Amino acid sequence: MSDDHHTQRLAEPVPPAGRLEVQNPFDLKPIASVDTLDRRGVEAALATAHALFRERDAWLSAHERGAILHRTAAAMQRDADRLAALIAREGGKPLVDAQVEVARAIDGVHNCAEVLRSDGGREVPMTASAAAAGRLAFTTHEPIGPVVAISAFNHPLNLIVHQVGPAVAAGCPVVVKPAEDTPLSCFAFIDLLREAGLPAGWAQALVTDGPETAEVLATDPRVAFLSFIGSARVGWHLRSRLAPGTRCALEHGGAAPVLVDGDMDPADVVPALAKGGFYHAGQVCVSVQRVFAPRSLAEPLAQALAEAAAALRVDDPSLADTAVGPLIRPAEVDRIDDWVRTALSGRARLLAGGEPLGRTCYAPTVLFDPPADARVSRQEIFGPVICVYPYDDADSAIAAANDLPFAFQAAIFTHSLDFALHAAQRLDASAVMVNDHTAFRTDWMPFAGLRESGLGTGGIPYSFADMRTEKLIVFKS
């Protein structure tokens, strides 16, 4: 057991229910231990959040919240190297990508402060009706109430910023439960918020002693808004159990499709596909997974992608030149290998990878034309595997791309405006990238999973809007 021990970040600490060991996912060595909390801890956190929200005179003003957020971003910049190393150690993300995540998270905290300046109320016209004459009506915004955020492991700092930052900006007390695999980045962010002047009760963090306790946290009637990032199975279950009146946003995943036009040179497509598919070992909810290319181009494209995959260094994520790190748990290595081998027992051809590299890593893998009913074709693999499928006409490829219960982000590679517009209008997706990979995003753009991929719209300004209510005030003269 590591000597680095972390307690919960509650306003009023309670006795722990147990202790969780946090491991480095590359070498499986313990790096820290974290207290877990049972229902008593959940009750303490929610009671604090509820009491703060009900005491309106204790609400922080918008300018106070903005200043706290800007000071937090400055402290994150000061600690950027420490935060990047923490992401790499607990989450297995290669250091170069962890540094990018920290930079994004810092910018995201600034974004949380900036939305306070740009999203005011509105006048509701009263002069259009004789019955409304002599009145002035306008809207203002108020915090929706206590927010509970349940987060995922794959971006252990930036996802927390996306869930906690808008709540702070909106003036909502927030209780966040990070992923059990990666709680340390969350705790670090909460500590920096408090260092910047946020009173402890406005942002609390805890790790529960099991899924039942996490469900109690999410479904308590005092929760006004649930922000969930994680598996569809858990997310839809929690939504079905929410208390009446609780709003929510769910972000799950998909099996992102890419449609390549016949006018493309593989050399112009492969770098983006490799980045979008193998970044963070494919553990991204909009990672490139299914690539559709014309029959004449598909195999040369797949071979070039295989060469790019074979050239990636898979190693310790703390090393500067590591391109692909570990899966979050050894069980994920076994699952991915099983999916790949099952596809190979069908008609799929293995062009690169296809094997575990030790207990914790999986070789970047390219499969050519796996069966349409294989799990690699129909479910989110959440690993470093890209499948390439030949097509005879674009509309049949679009139909195959759409033939899943998921719809999130998609991509098109083409030099033809007509092809781009035709495909973009027909792909089932909330966002379509043209000549870029499916995993591109900025943190202020809408980010929405459709169908089983999620509910609501992420992105900092959109989460901020979700965490506020609009109040109409009418004056009669």
Side-chain angles (χ1 to χ4, degrees), residues 23 43 47 56 64 123 127 159 211 230 234 265 271 280 300 304 336 370:
Q23 293 182 328
E43 172 58 30
R56 288 182 175 245
E64 289 176 306
E123 181 184 354
T127 58
L159 292 182
V234 175
D265 184 334
H280 197 14
I336 291 166

Side-chain angles (χ1 to χ4, degrees), residues 63-438:
H63 71 83
E64 289 176 306
R65 302 194 303 268
I68 288 168
L69 289 164
H70 282 306
R71 288 195 295 268
T72 301
M76 293 170 71
Q77 189 66 62
R78 178 199 68 204
D79 292 352
D81 290 343
R82 176 179 70 88
L83 293 171
L86 191 57
I87 291 168
R89 288 182 69 215
E90 70 170 343
K93 181 175 288 187
L95 186 59
V96 63
D97 295 322
Q99 291 166 339
V100 172
E101 179 175 342
V102 173
R104 282 183 59 185
I106 293 169
D107 186 64
V109 175
H110 281 303
N111 194 359
C112 290
E114 290 160 0
V115 293
L116 288 166
R117 296 180 181 270
S118 59
D119 192 20
R122 58 193 174 90
E123 181 184 354
V124 179
M126 292 286 112
T127 58
S129 165
R135 291 173 175 83
L136 173 67
F138 58 91
T139 64
T140 62
H141 290 100
E142 294 182 350
I144 193 171
V147 169
V148 164
I150 297 179
S151 203
F153 75 85
N154 52 334
H155 308 294
L157 179 62
N158 201 40
L159 292 182
I160 298 298
V161 165
H162 272 254
Q163 295 174 286
V164 173
V168 173
C172 297
V174 56
V175 181
V176 56
K177 189 197 86 67
E180 293 179 358
D181 296 294
T182 56
L184 306 181
S185 296
C186 173
F187 286 174
F189 180 64
I190 298 300
D191 289 345
L192 291 174
L193 281 170
R194 294 178 178 182
E195 176 188 325
L198 185 69
W202 289 96
Q204 302 176 89
L206 56 86
V207 176
T208 61
D209 60 354
E212 295 83 5
T213 305
E215 183 171 325
V216 169
L217 172 66
T219 59
D220 188 278
R222 290 167 291 189
V223 178
F225 189 84
L226 171 67
S227 170
F228 176 86
I229 302 175
S231 75
R233 179 184 61 81
V234 175
W236 293 117
H237 170 74
L238 288 178
R239 182 194 178 222
S240 73
R241 300 296 304 276
L242 292 181
T246 301
R247 275 46 173 175
C248 71
L250 310 176
E251 182 184 310
H252 303 145
V258 178
L259 188 66
V260 181
D261 193 4
D263 64 358
M264 297 303 297
D265 184 334
D268 295 331
V269 180
V270 163
L273 295 182
K275 184 63 178 178
F278 300 132
Y279 163 69
H280 197 14
Q283 298 171 116
V284 179
C285 60
V286 287
S287 177
V288 169
Q289 182 170 330
R290 300 178 296 147
V291 178
F292 300 88
R295 194 165 297 278
S296 61
L297 179 64
E299 191 157 357
L301 175 67
Q303 292 287 359
L305 185 57
E307 293 174 9
L312 296 172
R313 179 175 179 179
V314 183
D315 208 336
D316 186 336
S318 66
L319 301 177
D321 57 350
T322 293
V324 179
L327 279 298
I328 192 64
R329 290 179 293 273
E332 294 301 293
V333 177
D334 297 337
R335 176 188 61 80
I336 291 166
D337 191 51
D338 178 59
W339 286 25
V340 168
R341 292 186 182 279
T342 301
L344 293 175
S345 70
R347 68 167 184 262
R349 287 167 46 203
L350 179 66
L351 301 184
E355 61 181 353
L357 302 178
R359 292 182 61 199
T360 61
C361 296
Y362 201 82
T365 297
V366 177
L367 298 177
F368 186 72
D369 201 17
D373 60 354
R375 283 175 293 185
V376 296
S377 298
R378 300 204 62 81
Q379 299 179 40
E380 181 183 31
I381 194 162
F382 222 60
V385 179
I386 300 177
C387 304
V388 181
Y389 308 84
Y391 68 79
D392 294 310
D393 66 89
D395 285 338
S396 66
I398 292 170
N402 291 342
D403 188 30
L404 294 182
F406 314 108
F408 212 144
Q409 297 200 162
I412 301 163
F413 284 86
T414 182
H415 292 306
S416 166
L417 178 60
D418 289 342
F419 185 93
L421 289 176
H422 179 88
Q425 291 167 353
R426 287 162 176 78
L427 282 167
D428 292 342
S430 61
V432 179
M433 309 301 152
V434 180
N435 295 331
D436 207 345
H437 59 69
T438 58

Side-chain angles (χ1 to χ4, degrees), residues 8-14 41 44-45 47-49 52 194 199-205:
Q8 68 271 16
R9 273 31 175 204
L10 300 189
E12 299 293 335
V14 300
T48 295
L52 277 176
R194 294 178 178 182
W202 289 96
Q204 302 176 89

